[in-house]
Amino acid sequence: MRVRGIFACLASLSFAAVPLGAAPPLQPTSPWNVAYEDSQCTASRNYASEDKPLILTLVPSATGTAMRLLFVRKGGTATTQEQAELTLGAGKPMETYAFIYEAPQTHHRVYMVNVPMAEFRAAAAVPSIGLKTGTLRAQLAVSQLPEMLVELDKCLADLQDYWNVGKFAKRVSLQSKPELPIGLIGPGDYPALALNRNLSGSVGLTMLIDEHGKVADCTVDVPSGTGILDVVSCFLVQKRARFLPAVDASGKPIKSAFSQSITWRIAALSQADYPARALKNHEQGSALADVAVDAKGHPVGCAIVVSSSSNLLDEATCRMILARAHFEPAKNELGRPIEAHIKFRLNWMIPRCRAPVQTDPRLQEPVAGSQTITSLKGC
C-alpha cells in the first residue's frame, strides 16, 4: 500500500550564477520536499515566508510524459487564464496559456502550466525557472533540480507499481472500460475562456481507475498548450466518467490506468449557415444583438438592437448565438461570475453584391464579440 505524506528532503541550499545585467532569480527559503501521495507525486519548495508564500510545485503525469508546474502565491482569485511565457534557464521562452484558479483549502492563487516531460528534462540543469503572465513575474532559482528529479522518479516508479501503470500493466488481464463512452463531453462544455479567444487543441489524458471503477486522478500526458482546455478535460472526465474496473488473471478487480485523447475544436460559421432565402434574395448586412448571458457564460436571451435590414438575417443571428455561442461571464467587484448583457455583432456578406447602407453609430462601437459569414457564391 502506498503511504501518504512521506517526504524526501534535499536539504542544502545553493545559489545560482547570474549573468551580468540580469535580475537575480529569487532564492529558495526551504529545501525540496518530494511527497509520495496515493495518486500522484509532487515536489515543492518555498521562495518566501510561511505567511506570504511563493511556492513552486512540480507534478509529473502518471505515465511520466508531461510535467505540471504550479506557481502558488498568497491571495485568492477568480478562475481565469492568461497568456504566459515559461522560461527554463536562458532558453527561449515557451509561449503558452497559464490556467489560474484559487486552491480550495488554502485559498491561495495558483498559476498552472503543463509542458512535455522531454522538454523539461532536457533543461534539467538550468539554474532557474520563470513564469511571466499579466499578473505574475517570477524567476526562481532551482538548485539541485537533477537530484530532485531522481527522487521524483523513484516516487513515480512506486506510483506506477501501485496503480499497475507502464511496465506493471502486465498484471492486468482485462483492461478497464468506460461505461458511458458516448456523450461524455458535449459542445456546451467548451470553456468560454478558450472559445472567446478562438483557442483549440488536443489533450492526452491518463486516468487512474480504482478497483470500484472510480476515477481517482487524472493527469495530462500531452498538453494542448492552453491551460483551461487541459484542466477542463480532466475535470469533466473525473466528474462524469465511470468505468468497469480492470481485473487480474484470477478475475479480481485491480487498480489500473486508462488513456485517451480529447480534441477541442471550434466549429466555424460557414456558407451553410447563410439562410437560403436570404442568399437567393441577395440580402446582406450587419446585425447587432443584445445577448443575456448567465453566470456560466451561456446565452439565455437575444434581441436585435440594430437590424441588418433583413428579417431573415436578424432571426438567423439570434438563432445561432443562442445555439452556439459561449461567453466569458461578467464578474462583480469580488470577482464572482454574474448574469449580464453584452453586445454581439454578426456581419452577413455576399461578394460582389451591393451592401445596404447602415448608418447607425452603434455598429461602430466596441462589442464583446464579432464574426463575419461570407457566402462563397457572389451576385
Side-chain angles (χ1 to χ4, degrees), residues 2 37-41 62 155-163:
R2 217 171 137 79
E37 301 184 19
D38 276 351
S39 58
Q40 65 179 5
C41 299
C155 178
L156 189 59
D158 184 74
L159 180 78
Q160 293 177 346
D161 181 10
Y162 185 63
W163 286 94

Side-chain angles (χ1 to χ4, degrees), residues 13 37 66 68 75 129 217 246 255 261 263 326 342 370-371 376:
L13 302 178
E37 301 184 19
R68 185 191 316 164
I129 293 177
D217 196 24
K255 295 178 173 66
S261 178
T263 298
H326 285 75
I342 61 98
S370 177
Q371 193 159 354
L376 297 180

Side-chain angles (χ1 to χ4, degrees), residues 56 74 88-89 131 143 158 214 217 221-222 303 311 359 365:
L56 173 64
K74 187 174 182 180
L88 302 177
L131 184 69
S143 55
D158 184 74
K214 183 180 178 181
D217 196 24
D221 294 322
V222 183
N311 290 334
T359 59
E365 295 175 354

Side-chain angles (χ1 to χ4, degrees), residues 61-76:
S61 65
T63 58
T65 58
M67 182 70 84
R68 185 191 316 164
L69 288 81
L70 306 174
F71 294 76
V72 184
R73 64 188 300 185
K74 187 174 182 180

Side-chain angles (χ1 to χ4, degrees), residues 225-298:
T226 301
I228 185 68
L229 297 182
D230 295 348
V231 170
V232 168
S233 296
C234 264
F235 172 78
L236 292 176
V237 168
Q238 198 163 356
K239 180 180 179 181
R240 299 174 182 174
R242 292 294 180 270
F243 287 80
L244 299 174
V247 297
D248 61 16
S250 66
K252 179 183 176 182
I254 60 173
K255 295 178 173 66
S256 66
F258 184 88
S259 298
Q260 74 172 76
S261 178
I262 296 176
T263 298
W264 298 88
R265 185 179 297 115
I266 299 174
L269 298 174
S270 67
Q271 182 194 19
D273 296 303
Y274 216 112
R277 284 176 54 200
L279 195 58
K280 182 179 180 181
N281 297 334
H282 299 164
E283 296 175 8
Q284 58 180 331
S286 296
L288 181 64
D290 179 88
V291 184
V293 181
D294 66 16
K296 294 183 179 180
H298 300 141

Side-chain angles (χ1 to χ4, degrees), residues 20-365:
L20 290 177
L26 195 62
Q27 299 296 327
T29 56
S30 73
W32 283 110
N33 287 327
V34 179
Y36 290 57
E37 301 184 19
D38 276 351
S39 58
Q40 65 179 5
C41 299
T42 65
S44 61
R45 75 190 315 181
N46 197 354
Y47 287 80
S49 61
E50 289 296 327
D51 58 331
K52 292 184 179 180
L54 174 56
I55 300 170
L56 173 64
T57 299
L58 307 178
V59 186
S61 65
T63 58
T65 58
M67 182 70 84
R68 185 191 316 164
L69 288 81
L70 306 174
F71 294 76
V72 184
R73 64 188 300 185
K74 187 174 182 180
T77 181
T79 299
T80 186
Q81 73 170 5
E82 294 176 353
Q83 285 185 294
E85 288 185 354
L86 177 70
T87 54
L88 302 177
K92 183 180 179 181
M94 302 179 192
E95 293 186 0
T96 184
Y97 280 86
F99 178 67
I100 306 169
Y101 63 96
E102 183 175 314
Q105 295 181 339
T106 63
H107 301 293
H108 288 158
R109 181 182 303 178
V110 182
Y111 297 76
M112 188 211 76
V113 293
N114 288 303
V115 297
M117 185 65 80
E119 293 184 28
F120 188 83
R121 288 191 181 278
V126 300
S128 64
I129 293 177
L131 184 69
K132 182 172 71 173
T133 75
T135 57
L136 176 71
R137 277 175 169 75
Q139 193 72 28
L140 310 178
V142 285
S143 55
Q144 293 188 302
L145 185 58
E147 294 88 344
M148 183 277 296
L149 287 175
V150 170
E151 191 62 40
L152 201 57
D153 284 341
K154 294 178 183 178
C155 178
L156 189 59
D158 184 74
L159 180 78
Q160 293 177 346
D161 181 10
Y162 185 63
W163 286 94
N164 302 311
V165 179
K167 66 180 181 180
F168 303 102
K170 58 187 178 182
R171 300 170 184 160
V172 176
S173 179
L174 183 62
Q175 185 57 262
S176 56
K177 295 181 180 180
E179 292 182 341
L180 297 171
I182 306 298
L184 193 65
I185 298 177
D189 295 314
Y190 211 113
L193 287 171
L195 194 63
N196 290 347
R197 293 167 173 81
N198 200 34
L199 299 174
S200 58
S202 294
V203 186
L205 308 174
T206 290
M207 290 150 277
L208 298 179
I209 314 300
D210 68 16
E211 302 94 325
H212 306 288
K214 183 180 178 181
V215 181
D217 196 24
C218 173
T219 56
V220 173
D221 294 322
V222 183
S224 67
T226 301
I228 185 68
L229 297 182
D230 295 348
V231 170
V232 168
S233 296
C234 264
F235 172 78
L236 292 176
V237 168
Q238 198 163 356
K239 180 180 179 181
R240 299 174 182 174
R242 292 294 180 270
F243 287 80
L244 299 174
V247 297
D248 61 16
S250 66
K252 179 183 176 182
I254 60 173
K255 295 178 173 66
S256 66
F258 184 88
S259 298
Q260 74 172 76
S261 178
I262 296 176
T263 298
W264 298 88
R265 185 179 297 115
I266 299 174
L269 298 174
S270 67
Q271 182 194 19
D273 296 303
Y274 216 112
R277 284 176 54 200
L279 195 58
K280 182 179 180 181
N281 297 334
H282 299 164
E283 296 175 8
Q284 58 180 331
S286 296
L288 181 64
D290 179 88
V291 184
V293 181
D294 66 16
K296 294 183 179 180
H298 300 141
V300 294
C302 177
I304 298 297
V305 293
V306 178
S307 175
S308 64
S309 303
S310 165
N311 290 334
L312 293 171
L313 297 181
D314 291 348
E315 293 171 1
T317 295
C318 275
R319 183 170 62 249
M320 285 194 291
I321 288 174
L322 293 173
R324 300 189 192 179
H326 285 75
F327 300 93
E328 185 172 351
K331 296 179 177 64
N332 61 18
E333 61 276 5
L334 299 177
R336 304 302 181 189
I338 58 173
E339 298 178 357
H341 283 254
I342 61 98
K343 296 293 189 297
F344 190 92
R345 184 174 61 245
L346 198 53
N347 308 307
W348 302 87
M349 297 179 60
I350 303 176
R352 300 183 299 279
C353 272
R354 185 188 296 268
V357 177
Q358 294 180 271
T359 59
D360 194 307
R362 288 175 292 179
L363 290 174
Q364 309 303 321
E365 295 175 354

